[in-house]
C-alpha cells in the first residue's frame, strides 16, 4: 500500500495554489445529471472522489470529456436509469456524496435508485432530513437492503415548503437539486450556508434554474421544466486552503496561499491569529507566517460561518504543538476525535471527554507510524508529521487522496520532505475498508 514518509521539522516557504472545492464538485457533478446539453465544469479538483462520480455518470450513459486536468465537458443528454448496475453500486458505496444522485435522478426522471452512501465514520450519519425534504416534494422514498429508492407521484416532483429540523449541508443540497425542476415553488428553511451551497445554486442558475437565497438560511427555488448546458467554474476549496494555513502554523515558515476567497477563510484566520500566526489577506490570496511560539486557543466547530468541522482535526494537530491548554469542542459530529489516538503515538497529550478534547501542548511532537483514519484525520497526521522531530510514516493515504489534489507535490514545492512510497504495511497496523465520505 502507498504511504507517505515525512521527515519533519522543516519550515514551509513559498507559494501554493488551491484547487477547486471538493464538496462543491461532489454536489455539482451529480447535479449535472439534470442538464440536457453540454455542461463544462472548470476548476475541478483532480481527486479520487470526483473521478468516482464522473465514472458513475459515464456508466449511466453520459459523455465525459476531460479537456485538461481541471476542466471537464459532460453531456448527460443520453443518460438513463438503465445504466444502473453493480458497477455503479460499487462506486456509489464508496462516497458520501452519492446521495445527491437521488435528488438529481428524481429531478430528471421522476424516479431514483442508489446505494446508501459510504462515508467517513464520525458516528451516526442519518439521512432523515434528505428523506423528509424529498417526501415533501412528492417523492415516495424507501430505504431497504442498503438501497434508497424513490419515485415521484405522477412522475414529476412538485414544489413545497420544507423546514429542516437540523442544519444539514447534504439535505440542503439534495433538496435544492431536486426542487430545481419540480413543478412550482419550493421554500427550504433553516438551510446550511456553506460556500459550496452558494456555488451549487450559482451552478444551477447558470444552467437555467431559478434558485435564490443561497448563503442565507432560507432558499427559494422556482422550478423550471429542464436545465440547459453552460459553463461553470468552481470556487476554491476553503478546507484545502485552511489545511495549508494550519500546516504553516504547525511547521513554521511563510507561505502565500493563492486562488482562495479570503472571506471564506475568516473564521480559520481569526483562530490562527489568536494562536500567534500572522495572516495577511489579499484579493485572492492569503500570506501565512509563523516564526514565534504558538499559543493555546479554544475552538468550537459549528455550521458556516462558524469554525468548520472539516478543519477540526487539522487545528487539533496544530494545538498539540502550542503552549498551554486548549479545548476543542466538536459541535457537528458525534465522534470526530479518533485521530488523537494517532497523534498520541507522536507524543501529543490529549484527554477526550464526549465532544470535547482537552489538549496540553508539548514542545515538540516526534515522528511515528500513524494512519489516516479518514480524509481530514489524514490531513491532521500529515500536519503533525511536518512539525514533528524525526520520521513519520502515514498509512492509509488513499483517504487523503480522495480530497486533496497532489498534496505531496504541493508540500514538496514548499520545502517539506515528504514522499509517497509503495511498501507493505507494518503487521500491527489496523486495516479498514476505505469507504469514503
Ligand atoms: N444530520 C441529520 N440528519 C440528516 C442529515 C444530517 O441529523 O438527514 C446531522 C448529522 O448527523 C450531523 C449534522 O446534521 O450531525 C450535519 O450533517 P450534514 O448533513 O451537514 O453533513 P453531510 O452533508 O453528510 C457534509 C460534508 C462533510 C462535512 C459536513 C458538515 C460532503 C460530501 N460532506 O457532510 O465533509 O463534515 O457536511 O459540514 O459535502 C469532509 O469533507 O471531510 C466531510 C466529511
Amino acid at each position: 500500500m502507498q504511504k507517505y514518509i515525512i521527515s519533519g521539522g522543516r519550515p514551509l516557504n513559498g507559494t501554493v495554489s488551491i484547487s477547486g472545492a471538493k464538496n462543491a464538485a461532489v454536489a455539482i457533478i451529480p447535479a449535472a445529471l439534470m442538464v440536457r446539453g453540454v455542461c463544462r465544469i472548470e476548476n475541478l479538483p483532480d481527486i479520487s472522489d470526483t473521478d468516482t462520480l464522473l465514472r458513475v455518470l459515464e456508466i449511466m450513459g453520459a459523455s465525459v470529456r476531460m479537456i485538461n486536468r481541471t476542466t471537464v465537458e459532460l453531456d448527460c443528454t443520453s443518460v438513463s436509469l438503465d445504466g444502473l448496475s453493480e458497477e455503479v453500486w460499487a462506486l456509489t458505496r464508496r462516497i458520501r456524496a452519492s446521495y445527491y444522485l437521488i435528488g438529481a435522478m428524481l429531478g430528471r426522471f421522476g424516479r431514483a435508485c442508489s446505494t446508501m452512501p459510504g462515508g467517513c465514520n464520525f458516528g451516526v450519519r442519518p439521512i432523515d432530513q434528505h428523506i423528509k425534504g424529498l417526501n415533501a416534494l412528492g417523492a415516495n422514498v424507501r430505504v431497504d437492503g442498503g438501497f434508497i429508492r424513490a419515485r415521484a407521484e405522477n412522475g414529476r416532483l412538485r414544489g413545497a415548503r420544507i423546514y429542516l429540523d437540523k442544519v444539514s449541508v447534504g439535505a440542503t443540497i439534495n433538496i435544492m437539486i431536486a426542487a430545481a425542476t419540480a413543478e412550482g415553488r419550493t421554500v427550504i428553511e433553516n438551510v446550511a450556508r456553506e460556500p459550496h451551497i452558494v456555488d451549487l445554486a450559482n451552478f444551477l442558475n447558470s444552467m437555467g434554474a431559478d434558485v435564490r437565497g443561497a448563503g442565507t438560511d432560507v432558499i427559494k427555488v422556482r422550478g423550471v421544466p429542464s436545465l440547459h448546458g453552460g459553463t461553470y467554474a468552481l470556487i476554491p476549496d476553503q478546507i484545502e486552503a485552511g489545511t495549508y494555513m494550519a500546516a504553516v502554523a504547525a511547521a513554521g515558515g511563510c507561505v502565500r496561499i493563492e486562488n482562495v476567497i479570503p472571506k471564506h477563510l475568516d473564521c480559520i484566520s481569526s483562530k490562527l491569529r489568536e494562536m500567534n500566526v500572522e495572516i495577511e489577506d489579499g484579493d485572492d490570496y492569503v500570506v501565512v507566517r509563523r516564526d514565534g511560539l504558538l499559543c493555546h486557543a479554544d475552538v468550537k466547530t459549528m455550521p458556516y460561518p462558524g469554525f468548520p468541522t472539516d478543519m477540526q482535526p487539522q487545528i487539533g494537530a496544530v494545538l498539540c504543538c502550542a503552549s498551554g491548554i486548549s479545548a476543542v469542542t466538536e459541535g457537528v459530529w458525534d465522534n470526530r476525535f479518533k485521530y488523537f489516538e494517532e497523534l498520541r503515538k507522536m507524543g501529543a497529550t490529549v484527554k477526550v471527554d464526549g465532544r470535547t478534547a482537552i489538549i496540553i501542548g508539548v514542545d515538540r511532537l516526534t515522528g511515528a507510524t500513524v494512519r489516516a483514519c479518514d480524509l481530514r484525520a489524514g490531513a491532521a497526521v500529515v500536519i503533525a508529521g511536518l512539525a514533528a522531530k524525526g520520521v513519520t510514516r502515514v498509512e492509509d493515504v488513499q483517504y487523503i487522496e480522495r480530497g486533496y489534489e497532489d498534496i505531496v507535490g504541493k508540500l514538496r514545492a514548499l520545502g517539506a520532505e515528504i514522499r509517497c512510497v509503495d511498501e507493505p504495511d507494518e503487521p500491527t497496523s489496523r486495516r479498514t475498508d476505505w469507504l469514503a465520505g
Side-chain angles (χ1 to χ4, degrees), residues 27 78 153-154 172 192 249 315 383 399 402:
S78 310
E153 288 158 23
N154 309 320
T172 303
I315 209 81
I383 289 170
Y399 278 115
R402 280 186 32 230

Side-chain angles (χ1 to χ4, degrees), residues 104-127:
M105 287 180 200
L106 272 170
R108 170 86 186 263
F109 305 109
R111 312 181 276 127
C113 180
S114 189
T115 56
M116 282 298 276
C120 298
N121 180 9
F122 323 130
V124 186
R125 294 188 73 171
I127 57 164

Side-chain angles (χ1 to χ4, degrees), residues 235-394:
I235 52 166
D237 196 305
Q238 175 207 23
I239 304 301
E240 188 196 16
T243 300
Y244 284 96
M245 292 168 80
V248 181
C254 178
V255 173
R256 181 179 158 109
I257 303 176
E258 294 186 337
N259 185 32
V260 301
I261 299 175
K263 176 98 195 96
H264 293 168
L265 304 173
D266 278 352
C267 46
I268 302 167
S269 302
S270 303
K271 206 36 81 180
L272 289 172
R273 285 190 183 108
E274 274 180 39
M275 295 164 66
N276 198 26
V277 178
E278 282 173 48
I279 295 166
E280 175 201 328
D281 283 351
D283 291 338
D284 62 352
Y285 66 89
V286 291
V287 178
V288 183
R289 181 194 310 270
R290 204 272 291 169
D291 43 28
L293 270 185
L294 282 169
C295 302
H296 60 95
D298 292 343
V299 179
K300 176 160 190 209
T301 67
M302 278 180 267
Y304 190 82
F307 191 90
T309 173
D310 294 343
M311 276 299 301
Q312 186 261 104
Q314 300 89 315
I315 209 81
V318 180
L319 290 169
C320 287
C321 325
S323 65
I325 301 179
S326 305
V328 176
T329 305
E330 173 54 51
V332 177
W333 298 110
D334 289 337
N335 181 9
R336 206 176 189 175
F337 286 143
K338 270 186 300 179
Y339 68 95
F340 281 127
E341 279 174 38
E342 305 304 308
L343 296 186
R344 282 194 194 102
K345 296 176 192 162
M346 302 177 70
T349 316
V350 187
K351 188 171 175 342
V352 173
D353 184 7
R355 282 189 171 210
T356 299
I358 304 295
I359 302 171
I360 303 170
V362 294
D363 284 348
R364 202 76 196 259
L365 296 172
T366 45
T369 296
V370 289
R371 56 182 289 270
C373 314
D374 60 56
L375 169 61
R376 309 301 173 188
V381 292
V382 168
I383 289 170
L386 294 171
K389 184 164 179 266
V391 175
T392 297
R393 308 174 94 77
V394 182

Side-chain angles (χ1 to χ4, degrees), residues 38-58:
V38 177
C39 170
R40 183 181 166 107
I41 307 173
E42 298 172 348
N43 202 30
L44 197 68
D46 184 6
I47 52 177
S48 62
D49 268 17
T50 52
D51 290 347
T52 302
L53 282 165
L54 289 173
R55 180 70 192 130
V56 167
L57 294 193
E58 199 168 33

Side-chain angles (χ1 to χ4, degrees), residues 22-23 99 125-129 168-170 310 332-333 376:
K22 166 200 167 252
N23 285 346
Y99 50 31
R125 294 188 73 171
I127 57 164
D128 57 304
Q129 298 304 305
S168 158
V169 170
D310 294 343
V332 177
W333 298 110
R376 309 301 173 188

Side-chain angles (χ1 to χ4, degrees), residues 165-228:
D165 301 312
K166 181 104 194 187
V167 177
S168 158
V169 170
T172 303
I173 288 175
N174 224 344
I175 299 167
M176 206 183 354
I177 293 173
T181 55
E183 201 176 334
R185 189 162 176 263
T186 298
V187 178
I188 323 167
E189 293 174 288
N190 197 29
V191 295
R193 293 180 285 165
E194 269 66 5
H196 46 286
I197 304 261
V198 180
D199 211 33
L200 172 68
N202 289 339
F203 166 81
L204 290 169
N205 288 343
S206 71
M207 306 288 145
D210 183 354
V211 181
R212 297 175 194 201
T216 73
D217 50 17
V218 181
I219 292 179
K220 295 177 182 160
V221 185
R222 199 171 285 282
V224 294
S226 63
L227 300 183
H228 57 68

